[in-house]
Amino acid sequence: MIVAIFGLFKKSGQAEKREHSSRNGDRGILLFENTSEVIQAETLLKKDGWDIRVMGPPPEVQRGCDLVIEFPLIEELNIVRSLKRVNIPPLEVVPVTGPLLRPVDLFHVKDFGKYLMVRAANMKLTVDKNTQQIVNISGGGCPDVPYLACAMVGHALREAPRPGDIGHTLCGYALQLAYEEVLRRCSE
């Protein structure tokens, strides 16, 4: 009976190992050639349960793409092996050894009292904090931004279409990140 109770709280070995390594280890960043590779790598690594975050590159190591993936450095070999298996190897793996190599947070949050604006990379999403209605979408220069704004503005946050489902550009991807951050903040 006691074994069964402990079994309820025990995580699978690999998930537990990944969580442990991310809490206690140093971090590294993966640099890619383009945004498409970052999005593919993020999808694969999150699906496999890795504790990763998409962030902005520190100026010291910026190459080709405006996004990097932060990961637990102790898992470098396994993560790079997973990415090579699907033909999206990173250009470079950089250990975060000092403040100049820390990746930059993609989110900037501005509270205007009644409204909350979250900017992720170059896209901004603003909601009415009382009604959680999307009141504005701006930024970016991608061709699908007007479509995304038309589809989402005026809708309640949880009822609006997800930008990741209807957008097809870097701006759509950045807007999805902003959307998820606003959802997280409105749920607190």
Side-chain angles (χ1 to χ4, degrees), residues 157-179:
L157 190 59
R158 296 182 192 289
E159 296 168 3
R162 297 174 58 89
D165 294 339
I166 61 173
H168 301 283
T169 62
L170 173 59
C171 299
Y173 175 76
L175 187 59
Q176 176 67 32
L177 296 175
Y179 174 82

Side-chain angles (χ1 to χ4, degrees), residues 15-175:
E16 185 178 15
K17 180 181 165 192
R18 288 175 184 164
E19 186 175 310
H20 177 77
S21 68
S22 67
R23 276 184 277 146
N24 298 321
D26 292 329
R27 305 295 285 181
I29 52 176
L30 302 167
L31 305 172
F32 292 90
E33 178 72 33
N34 56 57
T35 305
S36 177
E37 290 180 352
V38 173
I39 295 169
Q40 290 175 46
E42 177 194 26
T43 302
L44 172 78
L45 296 174
K46 282 189 172 177
K47 189 179 104 190
D48 289 349
W50 294 108
D51 176 28
I52 61 160
R53 289 190 306 172
V54 174
M55 303 191 74
E60 299 293 322
V61 297
Q62 192 162 15
R63 316 257 194 296
C65 178
D66 289 338
L67 300 172
V68 296
I69 294 178
E70 184 189 51
F71 70 100
L73 192 56
I74 196 167
E75 298 294 346
E76 176 183 350
L77 183 63
N78 291 324
I79 287 176
V80 170
R81 188 179 299 142
S82 292
L83 294 171
K84 284 182 177 176
R85 198 174 321 123
V86 293
N87 294 323
I88 43 175
L91 288 175
E92 193 173 345
V93 178
V94 178
V96 179
T97 56
L100 293 177
L101 291 176
R102 288 196 196 290
V104 180
D105 195 353
L106 287 178
F107 300 110
H108 297 276
V109 179
K110 184 81 176 180
D111 190 334
F112 294 105
K114 183 178 180 186
Y115 302 104
L116 177 69
M117 181 185 76
V118 172
R119 180 168 64 92
N122 59 350
M123 292 300 299
K124 299 176 202 133
L125 187 144
T126 307
V127 296
D128 182 314
K129 291 192 311 191
N130 295 325
T131 65
Q132 295 192 0
Q133 182 180 27
I134 298 171
V135 296
N136 191 36
I137 289 175
S138 61
C142 305
D144 60 350
V145 171
Y147 170 72
L148 291 166
C150 186
M152 296 178 69
V153 170
H155 291 275
L157 190 59
R158 296 182 192 289
E159 296 168 3
R162 297 174 58 89
D165 294 339
I166 61 173
H168 301 283
T169 62
L170 173 59
C171 299
Y173 175 76
L175 187 59

